[in-house]
């Protein structure tokens, strides 16, 4: 009997906690808080062609793929490119180009499912490259030296 009562009260406490937590979501001002984030991060997504952001990608070459979206952090000068419609041949050529630019000393993984490379060049700039063979999409992230300090 004591076990059932304890479980009952524990259940009530959990339900009360969940219901109280939902009220906290109501207090969140989605429009205001989203505007705050948008002041710091530039997000570009479009159904039409988006141009490769050469001015924000350091010395990284343009990838032979359709750019689906761009996320950039203005102060730190970081930039992420989300792409699609990339052939495996173009992805492998891009991997080779990144390595020839000196982006090494990170992680490299390649198999029939995809490619991943993280690396830093001699100047301290970093890159993350991913490619998915199933859909031909992935991400290229460029982070210049000192970006972490600039974001703080």
């Amino acid at each position: 009997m004591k076990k059932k009562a304890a479980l009952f009260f524990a259940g009530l406490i959990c339900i009360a906690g969940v219901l109280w937590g939902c009220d906290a979501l109501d207090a969140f001002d989605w429009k205001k808080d989203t505007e705050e984030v948008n002041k710091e991060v530039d997000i570009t997504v479009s159904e039409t062609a988006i141009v490769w952001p050469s001015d924000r990608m350091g010395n990284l070459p343009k990838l032979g793929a359709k750019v689906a979206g761009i996320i950039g952090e203005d102060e730190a000068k970081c930039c992420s490119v989300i792409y699609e419609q990339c052939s495996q041949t173009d992805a492998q050529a891009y991997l080779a180009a990144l390595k020839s630019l000196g982006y090494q000393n990170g992680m490299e993984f390649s198999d029939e499912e995809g490619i991943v490379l993280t690396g830093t060049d001699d100047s301290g700039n970093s890159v993350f490259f991913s490619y998915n063979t199933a859909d031909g999409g992935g991400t290229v992230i460029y982070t210049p030296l000192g970006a972490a300090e600039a974001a703080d």
Side-chain angles (χ1 to χ4, degrees):
M1 182 72 159
K2 287 183 180 182
K3 242 185 198 182
K4 285 184 181 180
L7 288 174
F8 176 75
F9 285 113
L12 282 177
I13 291 170
C14 289
I15 291 171
V18 168
L19 292 175
W20 179 80
C22 290
D23 288 340
L25 287 177
D26 292 337
F28 185 78
D29 185 346
W30 291 98
K31 185 174 184 201
K32 177 184 164 268
D33 293 335
T34 302
E35 288 171 355
E36 290 294 317
V37 169
N38 287 339
K39 288 179 185 174
E40 298 172 16
V41 178
D42 177 32
I43 300 173
T44 304
V45 178
S46 176
E47 292 295 321
T48 60
I50 301 173
V51 178
W52 180 266
S54 298
D55 59 327
R56 301 183 76 166
M57 297 299 280
N59 64 344
L60 301 186
K62 180 180 175 186
L63 175 63
K66 178 184 175 191
V67 176
I70 299 169
I71 302 171
E73 207 287 314
D74 293 330
E75 192 172 328
K77 306 293 184 221
C78 299
C79 190
S80 301
V81 174
I82 299 94
Y83 66 88
E84 58 190 9
Q85 300 175 7
C86 183
S87 71
Q88 188 164 1
T89 302
D90 285 342
Q92 290 170 338
Y94 198 75
L95 174 68
L98 292 174
K99 289 165 66 174
S100 73
L101 288 170
Y103 289 98
Q104 313 240 354
N105 303 323
M107 176 185 72
E108 181 180 348
F109 175 79
S110 182
D111 69 5
E112 66 278 352
E113 293 183 15
I115 299 170
V116 173
L117 171 77
T118 62
T120 304
D121 67 8
D122 292 337
S123 299
N125 304 310
S126 299
V127 69
F128 170 84
F129 170 66
S130 69
Y131 169 74
N132 183 341
T133 56
D135 65 7
T139 306
V140 180
I141 302 172
Y142 173 75
T143 307
L145 176 67
E149 292 82 23
D152 288 340

